[in-house]
Amino acid sequence: AKWQKINLENRSKDELYEMEMTFNEMIDYLRDNFEKQEIFVSNASHELKTPIQIVKSYAQLLERRGMENPELLQESIEAIDSEADRMKKLVEQLLSLAKNRQAQEMNRVDLGELTEETVETFERAYARKINFQQNADDLMVYGNRDQLEQVIYILIENAIKYSNDKINVSASKLNDDVIIQVKDHGQGIHEDEQKRIFDRFYRVDKARSRETGGTGLGLAIAKVITEEHHGEVSVSSKVGEGSTFTLCLPYRE
Ligand code: ADP
């Protein structure tokens, strides 16, 4: 909404009352957003400080005892390397959250083809079979190709991270929507957590997510991008059985 200056002269009581309500709503809205922003910045700096602290402790340890202890040397180098990777990923993801607000190049995108390509990328990288099925010929949507690829990437990467069993990816059409589903047979997600996993930095199991190089930002990014494309991303899941993530975007002729 655009900010407008208002003139309070010659207003009726009713009009003033209505303005007061609007004004108070605006203040609530701004306060909520400001608080969310503060929480986000505080989480982000905490998440960045942790790997920096770990790298620093290993560097100090190496300085004191690294030369005479090859095992410690090896362990430290591995830890520093993986923490640096984490930091890199975190910074990239934070930038990606910020960038989404800017205008991006928009085109017609074949979501079926994009999904199949992403599946193949993962199969090569992880030497793992992922089942892909396309159930309709024409799966065009309108959007930014790189961002849409990022969403599909996040969903498949999570399926790989949080399950060891078979993964099924499908692309289909329902009414005027193109639907991509990523189904795993992993640990599943408890009902209470299903909404929260789309929040920034929320992780069901912090330790597990850390081990797999997670940041807790993937699904938040997927949600922002999808909503900017007038779509929806959702999950249905049962603990112990697995999860299905559904990406739904408007079909574009
Ligand atoms: P992360 O970097 O931790 O994977 P995400 O935002 O991508 O962050 O996911 C948030 C959390 O949601 C994860 O930490 C995990 O607990 C849960 N999650 C996401 N995808 C799955 C899945 N396919 N199966 C089980 N849990 C999942």
Side-chain angles (χ1 to χ4, degrees), residues 37-52:
Q37 200 65 28
E38 270 185 328
I39 293 170
F40 175 63
V41 171
S42 131
N43 283 338
S45 45
H46 176 79
E47 294 293 329
L48 280 167
K49 269 186 201 156
T50 312
I52 292 172

Side-chain angles (χ1 to χ4, degrees), residues 208-222:
R208 170 84 197 254
S209 161
R210 251 195 101 72
E211 262 171 44
T212 53
T215 59
L217 286 175
L219 289 177
I221 293 173

Side-chain angles (χ1 to χ4, degrees), residues 158 161-162 184 189 197 202-204 209 214-216 218-219 245:
N158 278 348
K161 282 195 309 198
Y162 300 106
D184 68 55
I189 304 157
I197 55 172
Y202 188 80
R203 283 163 282 188
V204 176
S209 161
T215 59
L219 289 177
F245 283 83

